[in-house]
Amino acid sequence: MPTLILADHDNASLKPATLNAITAAQQIGGDLHVLVAGANAGPAAQAAAQVQGVAKVLHAEAAYLAAPVAENVAATIVALVKAGGYSHVLAAATGFGKSVAPRVAALLDVAQVSEIISVVSADTFVRPIYAGAAFATVQSKDAVKVITVRATGFDAAPATGGTAAIETIAAAPDTGLTKVTGQELTKLDRPELTSARIVISGGRGLGSGENFKMLEVLAEKLNAAIGASRAAVDAGYVPNDYQVGQTGKIVAPDLYIAIGISGAIQHLAGMKDSKVIVAINKDPDAPIFQIADYGLVGDLFELVPQLTAELG
């Protein structure tokens, strides 16, 4: 039986986490169908068709999906599952995927398997628990497995080289339960946090939002994204969408630089899979040094400008 993957997209292109979810689906096996639900989402559907491993793209087009809400997307997925005989429904564990998947599971009366990082078999998966301090191997006996995929656990599927067919399908009727009345979108010249190769994160040790400008200068040198600990976000130094951690964004860049971050377990859960971790902190006993590949003990207000100058 085929697997259905929900595409996270902006109508023009796929979000990178969708490619990781497709890799997870490939490890489950069977034909892979990708659902692109949106308005004027033809470019996103074309992008999905080019991903290697995808057999078919289902393009659901409706004006009310211009800013899709979970209730409407879930209704379309449930209709497809009941009509198409899908054995698995996968979504990336992004804000969008984590909003839609639980509704799908509830409507199908099945248990959701959340944020898997490994596929053991078609019905058995590994997921982190206790803020990533342990891992649970979970077997689902439901007829339909509804799964969210932690992107950092899987490589991205190649975005080119595929030749999937695109099939236009009818979207489920507008439920009328929820609608988007407005959006405030953050526009940055730097890479997006969850897909950046280099991430520079600041913590409470920076002391103020004004001092995050030091990190911005360093980030420009490295073409890096800016992140933050929950303590820095709660203190109002930076917006919520900067937060890295168990209750924020999960990242696994090639290089993660933690500046003024002590390393609470909730923060470590969001970045410990980074390939190389560098920590700068004045406290030599800070927990962040236990997982750092390179640690620098000292005053960040002296060391960060020196590092920036060295990058010249």
Side-chain angles (χ1 to χ4, degrees), residues 201-209 211-212 214-215 237 259-260 300-301 304:
S201 283
R204 184 160 42 196
L206 281 159
S208 70
N211 289 330
F212 262 79
M214 284 195 307
L215 305 193
Y237 299 168
I259 300 175
L300 67 88
F301 295 103
V304 173

Side-chain angles (χ1 to χ4, degrees), residues 7-262:
D8 193 347
H9 63 91
D10 60 5
N11 290 315
S13 61
L14 298 177
K15 300 292 181 67
T18 301
L19 301 178
N20 304 91
I22 290 172
T23 296
Q26 289 175 329
Q27 295 181 13
I28 291 170
D31 287 341
L32 307 186
H33 297 179
V34 175
L35 171 63
V36 176
N40 299 316
Q46 290 287 347
Q50 295 174 22
V51 179
Q52 290 186 27
V54 175
K56 182 188 293 185
V57 175
L58 304 176
H59 180 194
E61 186 80 16
Y64 57 82
L65 292 173
V69 295
E71 290 83 354
N72 287 337
V73 177
T76 297
I77 293 174
V78 170
L80 284 170
V81 170
K82 292 181 176 179
Y86 291 100
S87 60
H88 297 72
V89 176
L90 271 65
T94 59
F96 179 62
K98 290 193 288 188
S99 180
V100 174
R103 288 170 169 82
V104 173
L107 291 168
L108 294 174
D109 194 24
V110 300
Q112 176 180 304
V113 183
S114 300
E115 301 210 25
I116 67 167
I117 59 170
S118 177
V119 175
V120 179
S121 67
D123 66 356
T124 306
F125 314 94
V126 178
R127 60 181 301 270
I129 57 175
Y130 303 129
F135 301 93
T137 301
V138 180
Q139 183 179 39
S140 171
K141 294 186 178 181
D142 288 318
V144 180
K145 282 76 172 170
V146 178
I147 301 164
T148 58
V149 177
R150 181 171 287 191
T152 56
F154 299 89
D155 293 333
T160 58
T163 56
I166 299 176
E167 178 182 334
T168 301
I169 64 170
D174 186 356
T175 62
L177 295 173
T178 308
K179 66 178 180 179
V180 177
T181 59
Q183 290 180 316
E184 292 184 9
L185 301 178
T186 302
K187 294 184 179 180
L188 297 174
D189 294 330
R190 294 184 297 275
E192 202 275 327
L193 183 57
T194 56
S195 60
R197 293 183 59 251
I198 301 173
V199 173
I200 301 172
S201 283
R204 184 160 42 196
L206 281 159
S208 70
E210 183 70 19
N211 289 330
F212 262 79
K213 291 181 179 178
M214 284 195 307
L215 305 193
E216 293 175 0
V217 175
L218 180 59
E220 289 176 3
K221 299 275 189 180
L222 296 173
N223 191 31
I226 296 287
S229 67
R230 178 170 180 173
V233 171
D234 287 349
Y237 299 168
V238 289
N240 288 340
D241 57 352
Y242 281 49
Q243 184 177 329
V244 173
Q246 184 180 15
T247 55
K249 295 179 179 178
I250 308 296
V251 300
D254 294 339
L255 173 62
Y256 188 90
I257 304 176
I259 300 175
I261 294 175
S262 63

Side-chain angles (χ1 to χ4, degrees), residues 196-201 222 251-259 270-280 288-289 291-295:
R197 293 183 59 251
I198 301 173
V199 173
I200 301 172
S201 283
L222 296 173
V251 300
D254 294 339
L255 173 62
Y256 188 90
I257 304 176
I259 300 175
M271 46 64 72
K272 64 184 179 64
D273 291 328
S274 303
K275 291 182 175 62
V276 176
I277 299 172
V278 176
I280 300 175
I288 190 72
F289 288 125
I291 68 163
D293 298 286
Y294 301 94

